[in-house]
Amino acid sequence: MSITKRFWLPYASYDMVNIKNWLEEKAEDGYILKKMKSNFPVFLEVERGSSIKYHLEPTVKDRSKPPEEIIETRKQRGWQYAGTLPDFFHVYYADKSTSEFNHQPEDITHKLKEKLRSDKKSLLLHLPLSLLVVFTDLLSMNRSDTPSIWFFQNFNWMHMMLLLTFVLSGSFKLISYQKLRNYIKSTDRKEESNYLFFSGML
């Protein structure tokens, strides 16, 4: 019987380089990815020191799973599909002797910038809705002859939970957006410095 185990993914979903290295370290420890998840990926327990490498391929239109024909094509080349982190990447693994994918770093950068634009749109929609809820309450309170009594009459637990949900979800969205934005900036700087370095060598 195969033994499965879950491990906490210690990197942000967009940090594909570190996630790839982490998966290969897990293979060395005797765990091969069975199912990709954003927080707790599922692994199969195998022999320690497994000769496994991973390929993370940015999602395009197939955000949740690649088409079956793509999976089959990869399989014929020795690469097994191990799951998808929706909106970010598909995961494949193979023996270290298997030939590599023709992979362009620009694909990753493009995907991350696409995700950043999507997150920005989500934020621009979420923030006005949150403010609308708060301002609606403030206006109703100001129109009342006795604001303090209005507050106690209308602010029930359900109302408080709604406001708290809007505020917390908005805060998390904003923090995630800022982290992804900073990550892309640092990636762009590295690519630019590498380009300048190799240009100087020519």
Side-chain angles (χ1 to χ4, degrees), residues 34-149:
K34 180 183 179 184
K35 190 173 184 180
M36 190 67 208
K37 291 181 175 291
S38 56
N39 294 320
F40 291 96
V42 181
F43 291 81
L44 279 175
E45 191 170 347
V46 295
E47 292 184 7
R48 290 180 63 88
S50 294
S51 179
I52 293 293
K53 62 182 177 182
Y54 285 86
H55 169 72
L56 275 58
E57 186 171 300
T59 61
V60 189
K61 294 180 181 178
D62 45 353
R63 61 174 298 274
S64 59
K65 186 180 178 182
E68 289 299 328
E69 56 268 24
I70 296 294
I71 294 175
E72 186 58 33
T73 301
R74 301 283 192 266
K75 189 174 181 180
Q76 290 171 5
R77 294 174 56 189
W79 290 89
Q80 298 290 329
Y81 173 66
T84 297
L85 199 55
D87 282 332
F88 285 101
F89 54 82
H90 308 302
V91 186
Y92 299 88
Y93 68 88
D95 187 87
K96 285 186 178 178
S97 61
T98 309
S99 59
E100 291 284 354
F101 280 78
N102 292 323
H103 186 62
Q104 298 297 326
E106 293 81 5
D107 294 342
I108 299 174
T109 304
H110 173 75
K111 184 62 193 178
L112 293 180
K113 288 180 178 178
E114 186 181 76
K115 176 65 176 170
L116 188 68
R117 286 193 294 271
S118 175
D119 287 354
K120 186 176 182 179
K121 288 178 183 177
S122 179
L123 263 176
L124 291 174
L125 179 64
H126 183 90
L127 291 175
L129 286 174
S130 302
L131 292 173
L132 180 63
V133 173
V134 174
F135 283 136
T136 300
D137 286 338
L138 290 174
L139 285 172
S140 299
M141 188 186 300
N142 288 332
R143 287 172 182 169
S144 174
D145 294 332
T146 52
S148 57
I149 295 176

Side-chain angles (χ1 to χ4, degrees), residues 152-168:
F152 285 109
Q153 286 176 338
N154 293 276
F155 261 67
N156 53 40
W157 281 109
M158 187 64 72
H159 199 99
M160 288 291 289
M161 288 300 294
L162 178 65
L163 283 175
L164 190 61
T165 300
F166 267 106
V167 171
L168 287 177

